[in-house]
Amino acid sequence: MNENLLSEKKKWVASLLVLFLGMMGIHRFYLGRNASGAVMLVVFVLGVLIPIVGCA
């Protein structure tokens, strides 16, 4: 998606998603960038699960 085609409202919502859920890549899904959003989500989940499972 071209950056110039994003409406100001969409940029505002994406900015809020980055602020609160940025590490999970939720903003990427909102902007239609599903592949990079999925990669960010998987990396986040593995980064959280591996330390928890490793300590058990």
Side-chain angles (χ1 to χ4, degrees), residues 3-56:
E3 296 282 334
N4 297 330
L5 297 178
L6 295 176
S7 68
E8 287 301 317
K9 182 178 179 183
K10 205 168 194 179
K11 287 180 184 180
W12 178 250
V13 174
S15 299
L16 289 175
L17 288 171
V18 167
L19 183 62
F20 293 107
L21 302 170
M23 302 233 0
M24 289 185 265
I26 304 303
H27 61 289
R28 294 287 193 165
F29 290 108
Y30 179 75
L31 294 173
R33 297 176 180 155
N34 296 334
S36 61
V39 169
M40 288 181 74
L41 186 58
V42 167
V43 169
F44 174 78
V45 169
L46 289 176
V48 170
L49 288 180
I50 289 174
I52 291 173
V53 174
C55 293

